PDB file of all heavy atoms in Angstrom:
ATOM      1  N   ASN A 548      -2.937  -1.023  -9.490  1.00 97.00           N
ATOM      2  CA  ASN A 548      -2.968  -2.099  -8.510  1.00 97.00           C
ATOM      3  C   ASN A 548      -1.547  -2.554  -8.237  1.00 97.00           C
ATOM      4  O   ASN A 548      -0.696  -2.546  -9.127  1.00 97.00           O
ATOM      5  CB  ASN A 548      -3.767  -3.304  -9.027  1.00 97.00           C
ATOM      6  CG  ASN A 548      -5.117  -2.932  -9.557  1.00 97.00           C
ATOM      7  OD1 ASN A 548      -5.833  -2.138  -8.954  1.00 97.00           O
ATOM      8  ND2 ASN A 548      -5.478  -3.491 -10.705  1.00 97.00           N
ATOM      9  N   GLU A 549      -1.300  -2.991  -7.035  1.00 97.00           N
ATOM     10  CA  GLU A 549       0.015  -3.512  -6.653  1.00 97.00           C
ATOM     11  C   GLU A 549      -0.192  -4.614  -5.612  1.00 97.00           C
ATOM     12  O   GLU A 549      -1.166  -4.562  -4.835  1.00 97.00           O
ATOM     13  CB  GLU A 549       0.885  -2.385  -6.085  1.00 97.00           C
ATOM     14  CG  GLU A 549       2.041  -2.793  -5.213  1.00 97.00           C
ATOM     15  CD  GLU A 549       3.201  -3.452  -5.939  1.00 97.00           C
ATOM     16  OE1 GLU A 549       2.931  -4.305  -6.809  1.00 97.00           O
ATOM     17  OE2 GLU A 549       4.345  -3.148  -5.617  1.00 97.00           O
ATOM     18  N   ASP A 550       0.676  -5.606  -5.615  1.00 95.00           N
ATOM     19  CA  ASP A 550       0.654  -6.623  -4.563  1.00 95.00           C
ATOM     20  C   ASP A 550       1.937  -6.509  -3.768  1.00 95.00           C
ATOM     21  O   ASP A 550       3.018  -6.315  -4.338  1.00 95.00           O
ATOM     22  CB  ASP A 550       0.501  -8.025  -5.159  1.00 95.00           C
ATOM     23  CG  ASP A 550       1.571  -8.347  -6.183  1.00 95.00           C
ATOM     24  OD1 ASP A 550       1.520  -7.787  -7.289  1.00 95.00           O
ATOM     25  OD2 ASP A 550       2.461  -9.173  -5.876  1.00 95.00           O
ATOM     26  N   SER A 551       1.834  -6.596  -2.450  1.00 89.00           N
ATOM     27  CA  SER A 551       2.998  -6.339  -1.612  1.00 89.00           C
ATOM     28  C   SER A 551       2.780  -6.888  -0.212  1.00 89.00           C
ATOM     29  O   SER A 551       1.650  -6.900   0.296  1.00 89.00           O
ATOM     30  CB  SER A 551       3.243  -4.819  -1.526  1.00 89.00           C
ATOM     31  OG  SER A 551       4.147  -4.504  -0.499  1.00 89.00           O
ATOM     32  N   SER A 552       3.879  -7.317   0.427  1.00 74.00           N
ATOM     33  CA  SER A 552       3.797  -7.719   1.822  1.00 74.00           C
ATOM     34  C   SER A 552       3.895  -6.526   2.766  1.00 74.00           C
ATOM     35  O   SER A 552       3.710  -6.669   3.965  1.00 74.00           O
ATOM     36  CB  SER A 552       4.930  -8.706   2.135  1.00 74.00           C
ATOM     37  OG  SER A 552       6.194  -8.096   1.943  1.00 74.00           O
ATOM     38  N   GLY A 553       4.195  -5.342   2.230  1.00 87.00           N
ATOM     39  CA  GLY A 553       4.231  -4.181   3.105  1.00 87.00           C
ATOM     40  C   GLY A 553       4.989  -2.982   2.588  1.00 87.00           C
ATOM     41  O   GLY A 553       4.403  -1.960   2.216  1.00 87.00           O
ATOM     42  N   ASN A 554       6.323  -3.048   2.527  1.00 92.00           N
ATOM     43  CA  ASN A 554       7.122  -1.872   2.213  1.00 92.00           C
ATOM     44  C   ASN A 554       6.884  -1.323   0.809  1.00 92.00           C
ATOM     45  O   ASN A 554       6.775  -0.111   0.606  1.00 92.00           O
ATOM     46  CB  ASN A 554       8.612  -2.180   2.388  1.00 92.00           C
ATOM     47  CG  ASN A 554       9.022  -2.242   3.846  1.00 92.00           C
ATOM     48  OD1 ASN A 554       8.328  -1.728   4.712  1.00 92.00           O
ATOM     49  ND2 ASN A 554      10.142  -2.878   4.108  1.00 92.00           N
ATOM     50  N   ALA A 555       6.821  -2.209  -0.169  1.00 95.00           N
ATOM     51  CA  ALA A 555       6.570  -1.739  -1.541  1.00 95.00           C
ATOM     52  C   ALA A 555       5.176  -1.145  -1.645  1.00 95.00           C
ATOM     53  O   ALA A 555       4.975  -0.133  -2.328  1.00 95.00           O
ATOM     54  CB  ALA A 555       6.735  -2.888  -2.543  1.00 95.00           C
ATOM     55  N   GLY A 556       4.215  -1.757  -0.973  1.00 96.00           N
ATOM     56  CA  GLY A 556       2.850  -1.229  -0.986  1.00 96.00           C
ATOM     57  C   GLY A 556       2.783   0.159  -0.392  1.00 96.00           C
ATOM     58  O   GLY A 556       2.112   1.059  -0.938  1.00 96.00           O
ATOM     59  N   ALA A 557       3.474   0.361   0.727  1.00 96.00           N
ATOM     60  CA  ALA A 557       3.494   1.686   1.353  1.00 96.00           C
ATOM     61  C   ALA A 557       4.160   2.709   0.437  1.00 96.00           C
ATOM     62  O   ALA A 557       3.699   3.841   0.294  1.00 96.00           O
ATOM     63  CB  ALA A 557       4.236   1.619   2.689  1.00 96.00           C
ATOM     64  N   SER A 558       5.237   2.300  -0.205  1.00 98.00           N
ATOM     65  CA  SER A 558       5.956   3.217  -1.084  1.00 98.00           C
ATOM     66  C   SER A 558       5.140   3.581  -2.319  1.00 98.00           C
ATOM     67  O   SER A 558       5.019   4.752  -2.689  1.00 98.00           O
ATOM     68  CB  SER A 558       7.291   2.571  -1.489  1.00 98.00           C
ATOM     69  OG  SER A 558       8.071   3.453  -2.248  1.00 98.00           O
ATOM     70  N   ILE A 559       4.553   2.573  -2.952  1.00 98.00           N
ATOM     71  CA  ILE A 559       3.697   2.825  -4.119  1.00 98.00           C
ATOM     72  C   ILE A 559       2.510   3.711  -3.728  1.00 98.00           C
ATOM     73  O   ILE A 559       2.115   4.631  -4.463  1.00 98.00           O
ATOM     74  CB  ILE A 559       3.199   1.509  -4.722  1.00 98.00           C
ATOM     75  CG1 ILE A 559       4.350   0.731  -5.371  1.00 98.00           C
ATOM     76  CG2 ILE A 559       2.064   1.732  -5.713  1.00 98.00           C
ATOM     77  CD1 ILE A 559       4.832   1.268  -6.692  1.00 98.00           C
ATOM     78  N   ALA A 560       1.928   3.437  -2.541  1.00 98.00           N
ATOM     79  CA  ALA A 560       0.793   4.234  -2.083  1.00 98.00           C
ATOM     80  C   ALA A 560       1.187   5.689  -1.845  1.00 98.00           C
ATOM     81  O   ALA A 560       0.437   6.620  -2.206  1.00 98.00           O
ATOM     82  CB  ALA A 560       0.220   3.623  -0.799  1.00 98.00           C
ATOM     83  N   GLY A 561       2.358   5.903  -1.263  1.00 98.00           N
ATOM     84  CA  GLY A 561       2.810   7.265  -0.997  1.00 98.00           C
ATOM     85  C   GLY A 561       3.053   8.061  -2.265  1.00 98.00           C
ATOM     86  O   GLY A 561       2.604   9.196  -2.418  1.00 98.00           O
ATOM     87  N   TYR A 562       3.789   7.462  -3.201  1.00 98.00           N
ATOM     88  CA  TYR A 562       4.077   8.159  -4.459  1.00 98.00           C
ATOM     89  C   TYR A 562       2.828   8.269  -5.321  1.00 98.00           C
ATOM     90  O   TYR A 562       2.649   9.268  -6.040  1.00 98.00           O
ATOM     91  CB  TYR A 562       5.210   7.467  -5.195  1.00 98.00           C
ATOM     92  CG  TYR A 562       6.559   7.865  -4.653  1.00 98.00           C
ATOM     93  CD1 TYR A 562       7.104   7.228  -3.555  1.00 98.00           C
ATOM     94  CD2 TYR A 562       7.263   8.933  -5.210  1.00 98.00           C
ATOM     95  CE1 TYR A 562       8.328   7.613  -3.019  1.00 98.00           C
ATOM     96  CE2 TYR A 562       8.487   9.320  -4.685  1.00 98.00           C
ATOM     97  CZ  TYR A 562       9.018   8.662  -3.593  1.00 98.00           C
ATOM     98  OH  TYR A 562      10.206   9.060  -3.061  1.00 98.00           O
ATOM     99  N   GLY A 563       1.950   7.260  -5.238  1.00 98.00           N
ATOM    100  CA  GLY A 563       0.682   7.351  -5.951  1.00 98.00           C
ATOM    101  C   GLY A 563      -0.149   8.518  -5.455  1.00 98.00           C
ATOM    102  O   GLY A 563      -0.767   9.251  -6.248  1.00 98.00           O
ATOM    103  N   ALA A 564      -0.159   8.708  -4.133  1.00 98.00           N
ATOM    104  CA  ALA A 564      -0.896   9.835  -3.556  1.00 98.00           C
ATOM    105  C   ALA A 564      -0.325  11.165  -4.055  1.00 98.00           C
ATOM    106  O   ALA A 564      -1.062  12.096  -4.390  1.00 98.00           O
ATOM    107  CB  ALA A 564      -0.831   9.772  -2.030  1.00 98.00           C
ATOM    108  N   ALA A 565       1.014  11.246  -4.112  1.00 98.00           N
ATOM    109  CA  ALA A 565       1.648  12.487  -4.583  1.00 98.00           C
ATOM    110  C   ALA A 565       1.300  12.782  -6.035  1.00 98.00           C
ATOM    111  O   ALA A 565       1.202  13.942  -6.436  1.00 98.00           O
ATOM    112  CB  ALA A 565       3.162  12.380  -4.421  1.00 98.00           C
ATOM    113  N   ALA A 566       1.073  11.714  -6.811  1.00 98.00           N
ATOM    114  CA  ALA A 566       0.752  11.890  -8.236  1.00 98.00           C
ATOM    115  C   ALA A 566      -0.755  12.022  -8.486  1.00 98.00           C
ATOM    116  O   ALA A 566      -1.169  12.270  -9.621  1.00 98.00           O
ATOM    117  CB  ALA A 566       1.284  10.691  -9.035  1.00 98.00           C
ATOM    118  N   GLY A 567      -1.564  11.845  -7.427  1.00 98.00           N
ATOM    119  CA  GLY A 567      -3.021  11.914  -7.600  1.00 98.00           C
ATOM    120  C   GLY A 567      -3.599  10.679  -8.264  1.00 98.00           C
ATOM    121  O   GLY A 567      -4.648  10.755  -8.924  1.00 98.00           O
ATOM    122  N   ILE A 568      -2.952   9.546  -8.080  1.00 98.00           N
ATOM    123  CA  ILE A 568      -3.386   8.287  -8.687  1.00 98.00           C
ATOM    124  C   ILE A 568      -4.116   7.444  -7.642  1.00 98.00           C
ATOM    125  O   ILE A 568      -3.667   7.336  -6.499  1.00 98.00           O
ATOM    126  CB  ILE A 568      -2.169   7.515  -9.248  1.00 98.00           C
ATOM    127  CG1 ILE A 568      -1.510   8.302 -10.380  1.00 98.00           C
ATOM    128  CG2 ILE A 568      -2.558   6.109  -9.713  1.00 98.00           C
ATOM    129  CD1 ILE A 568      -0.185   7.708 -10.851  1.00 98.00           C
ATOM    130  N   LYS A 569      -5.210   6.827  -8.028  1.00 98.00           N
ATOM    131  CA  LYS A 569      -5.918   5.920  -7.151  1.00 98.00           C
ATOM    132  C   LYS A 569      -5.145   4.621  -7.040  1.00 98.00           C
ATOM    133  O   LYS A 569      -4.772   4.012  -8.047  1.00 98.00           O
ATOM    134  CB  LYS A 569      -7.334   5.649  -7.686  1.00 98.00           C
ATOM    135  CG  LYS A 569      -8.162   4.723  -6.813  1.00 98.00           C
ATOM    136  CD  LYS A 569      -9.549   4.485  -7.418  1.00 98.00           C
ATOM    137  CE  LYS A 569     -10.348   3.519  -6.544  1.00 98.00           C
ATOM    138  NZ  LYS A 569     -11.686   3.255  -7.132  1.00 98.00           N
ATOM    139  N   VAL A 570      -4.893   4.170  -5.799  1.00 98.00           N
ATOM    140  CA  VAL A 570      -4.039   3.010  -5.576  1.00 98.00           C
ATOM    141  C   VAL A 570      -4.784   1.937  -4.799  1.00 98.00           C
ATOM    142  O   VAL A 570      -5.402   2.207  -3.766  1.00 98.00           O
ATOM    143  CB  VAL A 570      -2.761   3.411  -4.794  1.00 98.00           C
ATOM    144  CG1 VAL A 570      -1.894   2.180  -4.525  1.00 98.00           C
ATOM    145  CG2 VAL A 570      -1.971   4.469  -5.561  1.00 98.00           C
ATOM    146  N   LYS A 571      -4.707   0.704  -5.288  1.00 97.00           N
ATOM    147  CA  LYS A 571      -5.199  -0.468  -4.560  1.00 97.00           C
ATOM    148  C   LYS A 571      -4.012  -1.389  -4.283  1.00 97.00           C
ATOM    149  O   LYS A 571      -3.271  -1.745  -5.200  1.00 97.00           O
ATOM    150  CB  LYS A 571      -6.265  -1.221  -5.373  1.00 97.00           C
ATOM    151  CG  LYS A 571      -7.586  -0.480  -5.501  1.00 97.00           C
ATOM    152  CD  LYS A 571      -8.656  -1.360  -6.169  1.00 97.00           C
ATOM    153  CE  LYS A 571      -8.347  -1.614  -7.622  1.00 97.00           C
ATOM    154  NZ  LYS A 571      -9.442  -2.346  -8.320  1.00 97.00           N
ATOM    155  N   ILE A 572      -3.830  -1.751  -3.022  1.00 97.00           N
ATOM    156  CA  ILE A 572      -2.728  -2.613  -2.626  1.00 97.00           C
ATOM    157  C   ILE A 572      -3.300  -3.949  -2.139  1.00 97.00           C
ATOM    158  O   ILE A 572      -4.072  -3.982  -1.178  1.00 97.00           O
ATOM    159  CB  ILE A 572      -1.865  -1.986  -1.519  1.00 97.00           C
ATOM    160  CG1 ILE A 572      -1.361  -0.593  -1.933  1.00 97.00           C
ATOM    161  CG2 ILE A 572      -0.696  -2.909  -1.174  1.00 97.00           C
ATOM    162  CD1 ILE A 572      -0.394  -0.594  -3.107  1.00 97.00           C
ATOM    163  N   PHE A 573      -2.914  -5.016  -2.795  1.00 97.00           N
ATOM    164  CA  PHE A 573      -3.329  -6.359  -2.432  1.00 97.00           C
ATOM    165  C   PHE A 573      -2.258  -6.960  -1.527  1.00 97.00           C
ATOM    166  O   PHE A 573      -1.075  -6.973  -1.890  1.00 97.00           O
ATOM    167  CB  PHE A 573      -3.538  -7.212  -3.677  1.00 97.00           C
ATOM    168  CG  PHE A 573      -4.694  -6.775  -4.525  1.00 97.00           C
ATOM    169  CD1 PHE A 573      -4.617  -5.612  -5.297  1.00 97.00           C
ATOM    170  CD2 PHE A 573      -5.876  -7.508  -4.557  1.00 97.00           C
ATOM    171  CE1 PHE A 573      -5.691  -5.200  -6.072  1.00 97.00           C
ATOM    172  CE2 PHE A 573      -6.955  -7.110  -5.340  1.00 97.00           C
ATOM    173  CZ  PHE A 573      -6.867  -5.957  -6.092  1.00 97.00           C
ATOM    174  N   VAL A 574      -2.675  -7.452  -0.365  1.00 94.00           N
ATOM    175  CA  VAL A 574      -1.713  -7.914   0.632  1.00 94.00           C
ATOM    176  C   VAL A 574      -2.085  -9.302   1.140  1.00 94.00           C
ATOM    177  O   VAL A 574      -3.244  -9.704   1.100  1.00 94.00           O
ATOM    178  CB  VAL A 574      -1.639  -6.939   1.833  1.00 94.00           C
ATOM    179  CG1 VAL A 574      -1.256  -5.540   1.381  1.00 94.00           C
ATOM    180  CG2 VAL A 574      -2.957  -6.912   2.602  1.00 94.00           C
ATOM    181  N   PRO A 575      -1.096 -10.062   1.664  1.00 88.00           N
ATOM    182  CA  PRO A 575      -1.415 -11.336   2.330  1.00 88.00           C
ATOM    183  C   PRO A 575      -2.189 -11.071   3.622  1.00 88.00           C
ATOM    184  O   PRO A 575      -2.080  -9.991   4.215  1.00 88.00           O
ATOM    185  CB  PRO A 575      -0.032 -11.915   2.640  1.00 88.00           C
ATOM    186  CG  PRO A 575       0.940 -11.138   1.817  1.00 88.00           C
ATOM    187  CD  PRO A 575       0.350  -9.789   1.620  1.00 88.00           C
ATOM    188  N   GLU A 576      -2.933 -12.045   4.047  1.00 89.00           N
ATOM    189  CA  GLU A 576      -3.727 -11.879   5.269  1.00 89.00           C
ATOM    190  C   GLU A 576      -2.874 -11.609   6.500  1.00 89.00           C
ATOM    191  O   GLU A 576      -3.319 -10.942   7.434  1.00 89.00           O
ATOM    192  CB  GLU A 576      -4.564 -13.149   5.517  1.00 89.00           C
ATOM    193  CG  GLU A 576      -5.836 -13.219   4.712  1.00 89.00           C
ATOM    194  CD  GLU A 576      -6.767 -14.316   5.220  1.00 89.00           C
ATOM    195  OE1 GLU A 576      -6.283 -15.429   5.453  1.00 89.00           O
ATOM    196  OE2 GLU A 576      -7.974 -14.045   5.373  1.00 89.00           O
ATOM    197  N   ASN A 577      -1.647 -12.098   6.500  1.00 82.00           N
ATOM    198  CA  ASN A 577      -0.781 -11.943   7.671  1.00 82.00           C
ATOM    199  C   ASN A 577       0.183 -10.759   7.556  1.00 82.00           C
ATOM    200  O   ASN A 577       1.185 -10.690   8.259  1.00 82.00           O
ATOM    201  CB  ASN A 577       0.017 -13.216   7.908  1.00 82.00           C
ATOM    202  CG  ASN A 577       0.940 -13.557   6.741  1.00 82.00           C
ATOM    203  OD1 ASN A 577       0.820 -12.959   5.669  1.00 82.00           O
ATOM    204  ND2 ASN A 577       1.827 -14.513   6.936  1.00 82.00           N
ATOM    205  N   ALA A 578      -0.120  -9.816   6.679  1.00 82.00           N
ATOM    206  CA  ALA A 578       0.766  -8.658   6.494  1.00 82.00           C
ATOM    207  C   ALA A 578       0.868  -7.848   7.790  1.00 82.00           C
ATOM    208  O   ALA A 578      -0.041  -7.818   8.611  1.00 82.00           O
ATOM    209  CB  ALA A 578       0.247  -7.773   5.373  1.00 82.00           C
ATOM    210  N   SER A 579       2.020  -7.200   7.974  1.00 81.00           N
ATOM    211  CA  SER A 579       2.288  -6.414   9.171  1.00 81.00           C
ATOM    212  C   SER A 579       1.246  -5.308   9.385  1.00 81.00           C
ATOM    213  O   SER A 579       0.963  -4.541   8.464  1.00 81.00           O
ATOM    214  CB  SER A 579       3.675  -5.779   9.041  1.00 81.00           C
ATOM    215  OG  SER A 579       3.841  -4.683   9.898  1.00 81.00           O
ATOM    216  N   ALA A 580       0.701  -5.245  10.596  1.00 86.00           N
ATOM    217  CA  ALA A 580      -0.306  -4.240  10.913  1.00 86.00           C
ATOM    218  C   ALA A 580       0.266  -2.831  10.776  1.00 86.00           C
ATOM    219  O   ALA A 580      -0.417  -1.901  10.310  1.00 86.00           O
ATOM    220  CB  ALA A 580      -0.834  -4.457  12.333  1.00 86.00           C
ATOM    221  N   ALA A 581       1.528  -2.652  11.179  1.00 85.00           N
ATOM    222  CA  ALA A 581       2.146  -1.325  11.079  1.00 85.00           C
ATOM    223  C   ALA A 581       2.262  -0.882   9.616  1.00 85.00           C
ATOM    224  O   ALA A 581       2.004   0.270   9.278  1.00 85.00           O
ATOM    225  CB  ALA A 581       3.526  -1.346  11.733  1.00 85.00           C
ATOM    226  N   LYS A 582       2.628  -1.823   8.748  1.00 87.00           N
ATOM    227  CA  LYS A 582       2.775  -1.488   7.334  1.00 87.00           C
ATOM    228  C   LYS A 582       1.415  -1.240   6.682  1.00 87.00           C
ATOM    229  O   LYS A 582       1.273  -0.354   5.843  1.00 87.00           O
ATOM    230  CB  LYS A 582       3.545  -2.584   6.620  1.00 87.00           C
ATOM    231  CG  LYS A 582       4.998  -2.659   7.068  1.00 87.00           C
ATOM    232  CD  LYS A 582       5.746  -3.823   6.455  1.00 87.00           C
ATOM    233  CE  LYS A 582       7.177  -3.889   6.970  1.00 87.00           C
ATOM    234  NZ  LYS A 582       7.918  -5.050   6.455  1.00 87.00           N
ATOM    235  N   LEU A 583       0.400  -1.995   7.079  1.00 92.00           N
ATOM    236  CA  LEU A 583      -0.939  -1.774   6.547  1.00 92.00           C
ATOM    237  C   LEU A 583      -1.459  -0.399   6.953  1.00 92.00           C
ATOM    238  O   LEU A 583      -2.098   0.297   6.163  1.00 92.00           O
ATOM    239  CB  LEU A 583      -1.897  -2.873   7.020  1.00 92.00           C
ATOM    240  CG  LEU A 583      -1.622  -4.279   6.511  1.00 92.00           C
ATOM    241  CD1 LEU A 583      -2.714  -5.233   7.006  1.00 92.00           C
ATOM    242  CD2 LEU A 583      -1.536  -4.332   5.002  1.00 92.00           C
ATOM    243  N   SER A 584      -1.187  -0.029   8.181  1.00 93.00           N
ATOM    244  CA  SER A 584      -1.606   1.287   8.662  1.00 93.00           C
ATOM    245  C   SER A 584      -0.954   2.389   7.850  1.00 93.00           C
ATOM    246  O   SER A 584      -1.599   3.373   7.478  1.00 93.00           O
ATOM    247  CB  SER A 584      -1.240   1.447  10.137  1.00 93.00           C
ATOM    248  OG  SER A 584      -1.562   2.732  10.605  1.00 93.00           O
ATOM    249  N   GLN A 585       0.319   2.228   7.528  1.00 94.00           N
ATOM    250  CA  GLN A 585       1.013   3.221   6.722  1.00 94.00           C
ATOM    251  C   GLN A 585       0.411   3.302   5.320  1.00 94.00           C
ATOM    252  O   GLN A 585       0.162   4.390   4.804  1.00 94.00           O
ATOM    253  CB  GLN A 585       2.499   2.894   6.625  1.00 94.00           C
ATOM    254  CG  GLN A 585       3.295   3.955   5.864  1.00 94.00           C
ATOM    255  CD  GLN A 585       4.752   3.598   5.700  1.00 94.00           C
ATOM    256  OE1 GLN A 585       5.184   2.495   6.064  1.00 94.00           O
ATOM    257  NE2 GLN A 585       5.528   4.513   5.157  1.00 94.00           N
ATOM    258  N   ILE A 586       0.132   2.148   4.715  1.00 96.00           N
ATOM    259  CA  ILE A 586      -0.459   2.111   3.374  1.00 96.00           C
ATOM    260  C   ILE A 586      -1.786   2.866   3.369  1.00 96.00           C
ATOM    261  O   ILE A 586      -2.044   3.706   2.495  1.00 96.00           O
ATOM    262  CB  ILE A 586      -0.671   0.660   2.905  1.00 96.00           C
ATOM    263  CG1 ILE A 586       0.672  -0.028   2.660  1.00 96.00           C
ATOM    264  CG2 ILE A 586      -1.524   0.605   1.643  1.00 96.00           C
ATOM    265  CD1 ILE A 586       0.565  -1.519   2.448  1.00 96.00           C
ATOM    266  N   MET A 587      -2.635   2.588   4.333  1.00 96.00           N
ATOM    267  CA  MET A 587      -3.974   3.207   4.389  1.00 96.00           C
ATOM    268  C   MET A 587      -3.883   4.701   4.691  1.00 96.00           C
ATOM    269  O   MET A 587      -4.729   5.472   4.241  1.00 96.00           O
ATOM    270  CB  MET A 587      -4.835   2.475   5.412  1.00 96.00           C
ATOM    271  CG  MET A 587      -5.224   1.074   4.968  1.00 96.00           C
ATOM    272  SD  MET A 587      -6.384   0.240   6.082  1.00 96.00           S
ATOM    273  CE  MET A 587      -5.313  -0.128   7.477  1.00 96.00           C
ATOM    274  N   SER A 588      -2.837   5.101   5.408  1.00 97.00           N
ATOM    275  CA  SER A 588      -2.686   6.521   5.718  1.00 97.00           C
ATOM    276  C   SER A 588      -2.502   7.356   4.456  1.00 97.00           C
ATOM    277  O   SER A 588      -2.891   8.534   4.434  1.00 97.00           O
ATOM    278  CB  SER A 588      -1.478   6.729   6.644  1.00 97.00           C
ATOM    279  OG  SER A 588      -1.709   6.136   7.898  1.00 97.00           O
ATOM    280  N   TYR A 589      -1.973   6.772   3.419  1.00 98.00           N
ATOM    281  CA  TYR A 589      -1.790   7.484   2.158  1.00 98.00           C
ATOM    282  C   TYR A 589      -3.067   7.505   1.322  1.00 98.00           C
ATOM    283  O   TYR A 589      -3.074   8.066   0.213  1.00 98.00           O
ATOM    284  CB  TYR A 589      -0.666   6.841   1.338  1.00 98.00           C
ATOM    285  CG  TYR A 589       0.697   6.923   1.962  1.00 98.00           C
ATOM    286  CD1 TYR A 589       1.460   5.768   2.197  1.00 98.00           C
ATOM    287  CD2 TYR A 589       1.262   8.156   2.314  1.00 98.00           C
ATOM    288  CE1 TYR A 589       2.722   5.839   2.753  1.00 98.00           C
ATOM    289  CE2 TYR A 589       2.524   8.221   2.876  1.00 98.00           C
ATOM    290  CZ  TYR A 589       3.247   7.069   3.100  1.00 98.00           C
ATOM    291  OH  TYR A 589       4.506   7.141   3.663  1.00 98.00           O
ATOM    292  N   GLY A 590      -4.119   6.888   1.823  1.00 97.00           N
ATOM    293  CA  GLY A 590      -5.384   6.902   1.108  1.00 97.00           C
ATOM    294  C   GLY A 590      -5.581   5.728   0.166  1.00 97.00           C
ATOM    295  O   GLY A 590      -6.582   5.669  -0.565  1.00 97.00           O
ATOM    296  N   ALA A 591      -4.651   4.776   0.188  1.00 97.00           N
ATOM    297  CA  ALA A 591      -4.788   3.609  -0.693  1.00 97.00           C
ATOM    298  C   ALA A 591      -5.791   2.620  -0.105  1.00 97.00           C
ATOM    299  O   ALA A 591      -5.979   2.534   1.103  1.00 97.00           O
ATOM    300  CB  ALA A 591      -3.435   2.920  -0.862  1.00 97.00           C
TER     301      ALA A 591
END
């Protein structure tokens, strides 16, 4: 699990995907839509 406003969440999600680790990213309600899209693209 990780909490992030965006960039760290995307980065953790990307490297987590490369390692085959299941990732959950907890974000504020007003987090950037572009960053959320990137996080979800990695399968988190």
Side-chain angles (χ1 to χ4, degrees):
N548 309 317
E549 159 72 317
D550 56 288
S551 166
S552 62
N554 285 341
S558 185
I559 291 285
Y562 279 85
I568 296 171
K569 181 180 178 181
V570 178
K571 290 187 291 186
I572 305 294
F573 292 74
V574 302
E576 279 193 314
N577 62 348
S579 160
K582 292 175 182 177
L583 294 184
S584 176
Q585 184 183 6
I586 291 169
M587 290 186 287
S588 294
Y589 295 124

